[in-house]
Amino acid sequence: MKLATIVHGDARRVAVIEDGHPTALLAERYTSVDDVVRAAAEGASPLENLHRDDIPAGRLLAPIPRPRRNVFCVGKNYYEHAHEFSSSGFDSSAASGAVPDAPIIFSKVPESVIGPGDDIVFDPAVSAAIDYEAELAVIIGRQGRGITRERALDHVWGYTIVNDVTARDVQQRLKQWHVGKSFDTFCPMGPWAVTADEVDLSDTRVRAWINDELRQDANTRDLIFDVPAIIETISAGVTLYPGDVIATGTPAGVGIGFRPPRYLVAGDRIRMEISALGTLENSVRNAG
Ligand code: MG
C-alpha cells in the first residue's frame, strides 16, 4: 500500500495512493504518514473505515513532513560511490579508506525535510558546491533497541525516497557531515511512503536524472551495508522508534564524482526514481 500526506486547503490528511492518485482518505486525526505508523504500532487500525468519497486533489507533502527526530543517514554505502567520493578530495573520512569497515552514520535535522515539487533553496554565498544524492529511505514501524539483523526487517514499516542534498564545501571544511547536509530544504522526501511488502530489497533500482540526464543508476543489492545491518548498527545503543527515517546511502554518479565536479545550479531539475516507490522531483533555486 502507498500512503501520502496531502494538503487540501488548510487541512492535512493521509491518502491512499493507487495508480499515482489519492483514492481514499484515512480518518481526520491522521495528519501525516508517521501518525499512521505510530498509531499502528500502538495497536490501532488506521486503515479501517477509509473514506472513498470526495477525495481532494491535494498537493503532496513529504510523507513525514517533520520527523520527530533527525533523519539517520548512511555515508559511502555503495562501492562505486565510496571510491568516487574518497578520490574527490572532499572526503574528510578518506584516511580510513575508501570502503568503510563499519557503517558511517550521521543525521540531518528534521526541519530540512521538504516535499515533492518543493524547491531546494541555497545561498551561493554560503555554499558553492551543492550536490544531490538519491537514496532508499527506511521508515521504522516498531520500536526496538539491540535489534539483530535477523529480526531487523520486522521493525520496518516501509520505504520512501530521500534526496540527501549536500553542501560539499561545508562538508569538507567542517570535517563532519551534519551541518552541510542539514541546510533548510536539503532533505526532499517522497512522493509517498510504501509498505515493506511492496519492496524487494534484493532488486530495487535507484536512479537520478539532472535535467533529464541520467546520473545515478544502481541497485540496492549493491549496498555495502544492507538494511538489516544498518538497523542492527544504529539500534545497538540507540532505541529506534516508529516513524524514524533512515536514508541508506547513495550510489555513484553524484556531482562530486565528475571531473570537474558538476554541482547543482539554480534552475536545475532533479528527478529520482526508485522501483516500487515512485518519482521524486524538485528544482533548485537561489535564496533571495
Ligand atoms: Mg547520502
Side-chain angles (χ1 to χ4, degrees):
M1 176 173 275
K2 298 174 176 64
L3 293 181
T5 301
I6 66 171
V7 65
H8 179 68
D10 291 335
R12 219 171 70 176
R13 300 287 294 269
V14 176
V16 176
I17 300 290
E18 289 167 314
D19 297 326
H21 300 285
T23 56
L25 291 178
L26 279 64
E28 282 178 14
R29 63 180 171 279
Y30 303 115
T31 60
S32 62
V33 172
D34 50 319
D35 278 354
V36 175
V37 173
R38 279 189 290 270
E42 289 165 6
S45 302
L47 297 172
E48 287 179 356
N49 303 317
L50 298 175
H51 305 268
R52 291 199 174 268
D53 301 327
D54 300 326
I55 307 303
R59 182 169 68 88
L60 289 171
L61 301 179
I64 302 181
R66 181 62 60 88
R68 285 195 176 169
R69 304 208 289 174
N70 284 14
V71 174
F72 292 99
C73 302
V74 185
K76 298 205 295 187
N77 202 20
Y78 287 83
Y79 289 98
E80 266 189 73
H81 172 67
H83 288 291
E84 77 173 348
F85 184 49
S86 279
S87 61
S88 70
F90 280 75
D91 179 11
S92 57
S93 73
S96 58
V99 176
D101 53 13
I104 297 172
I105 309 292
F106 61 95
S107 72
K108 298 166 86 81
V109 297
E111 295 79 7
S112 62
V113 173
I114 60 172
D118 291 342
D119 286 343
I120 298 162
V121 184
F122 67 94
D123 181 350
V126 178
S127 171
I130 306 296
D131 211 346
Y132 52 88
E133 298 189 349
E135 307 196 9
L136 172 82
V138 177
I139 300 170
I140 294 295
R142 187 144 66 86
Q143 180 176 327
R145 193 178 65 180
I147 302 167
T148 62
R149 65 186 71 197
E150 291 75 22
R151 304 302 304 273
L153 296 181
D154 297 342
H155 291 259
V156 173
W157 180 88
Y159 301 91
T160 189
I161 303 172
V162 155
N163 180 357
D164 178 19
V165 183
T166 304
R168 295 291 181 205
D169 41 3
V170 175
Q171 179 184 34
Q172 178 189 42
R173 189 172 73 246
L174 299 187
K175 304 283 191 291
Q176 50 69 46
W177 301 0
H178 178 67
V179 174
K181 287 172 172 280
S182 285
F183 286 15
D184 296 352
T185 74
F186 271 27
C187 191
M189 181 194 295
W192 37 69
V194 179
T195 48
D197 57 295
E198 296 191 8
V199 177
D200 176 5
L201 291 175
S202 69
D203 186 17
T204 289
R205 195 173 181 189
V206 178
R207 285 180 292 176
W209 292 260
I210 307 298
N211 304 324
D212 300 323
E213 177 189 341
L214 182 63
R215 296 278 187 89
Q216 296 188 279
D217 187 0
N219 195 293
T220 53
R221 76 168 78 92
D222 298 324
L223 283 166
I224 298 172
F225 301 102
D226 62 10
V227 170
I230 294 165
I231 290 175
E232 183 179 75
T233 298
I234 297 174
S235 75
V238 177
T239 300
L240 289 172
Y241 294 96
D244 280 347
V245 179
I246 306 171
T248 57
T250 204
V254 298
I256 196 73
F258 292 88
R259 298 288 179 276
R262 300 175 72 180
Y263 298 122
L264 294 169
V265 296
D268 280 347
R269 289 173 292 108
I270 307 169
R271 187 167 97 249
M272 297 183 161
E273 229 174 86
I274 299 185
S275 317
L277 297 187
T279 303
L280 174 65
E281 297 190 66
N282 300 89
S283 293
V284 179
R285 69 177 164 88
N286 289 342

